[in-house]
Amino acid sequence: MTEGPGFWITLEGGDGSGKTTQADLLESWLTDAGHTVLRTREPGGSEVGQLIREIVLHHRGDIAPRAEALLYAADRAHHVATVVRPALQRGDVVLQDRYLDSSVAYQGAGRVLDATEVRELSLWAAEGALPDLTVLLDLDPAAARTRLDSADKPFDRLEAEKAEFHGRVRDGYLALAAAEPDRFLVVDAADAPDVIAAGIRTRVAALLAP
Ligand code: TYD
């Protein structure tokens, strides 16, 4: 990664895989260790991104798959240029919920666009920026659905997709992790949160060690 002296971590996984819990735990640990942490997310990590997030997650009715892919890529382009890259140049640890792997898994494998094209689109949008570490919280979609149901919140457009869609998303993620084992850490999201957190800390500590 050549974005500056900072360190960039992205969290990936299906809806209901526990990314937020793990981001909270990792953020406290990093802050206690003296790092300046910038917590952010896609879609919606910038003001422009908030507007795009409204469309992609809450628009009623269909959005053509290529239009959806372009909306996520537009959010990403603005977010990397105005939020992520400046933070990495300041030397922050950027802790980010979702990045381009979400597009490859959801718009590629999920919506059945060409995965390579979706990835190239995002790389163009982000001028090639890739994280130092991507943590994939891998979970069986049926278990994730049980968690989402018990959270008792209305589903957004993507969460409301059928089980087969979420199965393809999971397989898409696992293929990405297999293709880039150095960038990815795959954890079993069915484990207890503190067990998962410890595994993530071990990898982060090794990468941040001088
Ligand atoms: P969000 O509420 O952030 O979900 P979660 O809390 O599960 O991360 O909503 C993001 C949704 O957008 C999620 O269903 C995945 C989807 N998404 C894509 O389809 N493509 C993308 O490139 C990104 C970043 C997200």
Side-chain angles (χ1 to χ4, degrees):
M1 213 273 313
T2 53
E3 304 300 322
F7 191 82
W8 188 11
I9 304 168
T10 57
L11 292 160
E12 295 283 354
D15 300 276
S17 59
K19 289 192 294 356
T20 307
T21 306
Q22 289 307 320
D24 289 346
L25 293 169
L26 188 56
E27 181 182 10
S28 328
W29 179 75
L30 285 163
T31 305
D32 289 349
H35 296 283
T36 302
V37 178
L38 179 97
R39 193 70 185 270
T40 189
R41 68 172 177 181
E42 289 185 7
S46 66
E47 225 171 284
V48 169
Q50 288 289 348
L51 299 170
I52 298 174
R53 182 180 173 92
E54 259 319 291
I55 303 174
V56 281
L57 297 188
H58 302 300
H59 170 72
R60 289 175 190 279
D62 286 343
I63 300 179
R66 281 165 193 262
E68 186 181 87
L70 285 162
L71 285 164
Y72 282 112
D75 167 69
R76 185 157 299 133
H78 191 70
H79 183 229
V80 169
T82 64
V83 177
V84 176
R85 191 168 280 127
L88 293 171
Q89 283 167 354
R90 287 196 302 269
D92 293 0
V93 175
V94 175
L95 184 51
Q96 180 172 331
D97 194 341
R98 299 192 181 280
Y99 186 53
L100 97 183
D101 302 296
S102 280
S103 278
V104 182
Y106 281 78
Q107 280 67 55
R111 297 275 187 233
V112 214
L113 295 175
D114 183 274
T116 309
E117 286 178 2
V118 172
R119 182 183 159 87
E120 290 299 321
L121 176 69
S122 276
L123 283 173
W124 178 81
E127 296 180 83
L130 280 174
D132 298 286
L133 175 67
T134 298
V135 178
L136 172 58
L137 290 148
D138 177 51
L139 188 63
D140 169 46
R145 177 50 52 134
T146 309
R147 288 187 188 178
L148 288 175
D149 285 342
S150 63
D152 206 26
K153 283 197 307 201
F155 288 160
D156 65 38
R157 281 182 61 253
L158 280 296
E159 285 168 352
E161 283 290 342
K162 299 195 181 43
E164 301 87 78
F165 174 90
H166 292 287
R168 289 199 301 277
V169 169
R170 183 195 196 188
D171 293 345
Y173 268 133
L174 290 172
L176 285 169
E180 281 183 85
D182 289 345
R183 174 161 70 90
F184 274 89
L185 169 68
V186 183
V187 297
D188 184 350
D191 281 344
D194 55 336
V195 172
I196 298 171
I200 297 173
R201 284 199 299 269
T202 303
R203 179 73 168 261
V204 173
L207 290 169
L208 283 175

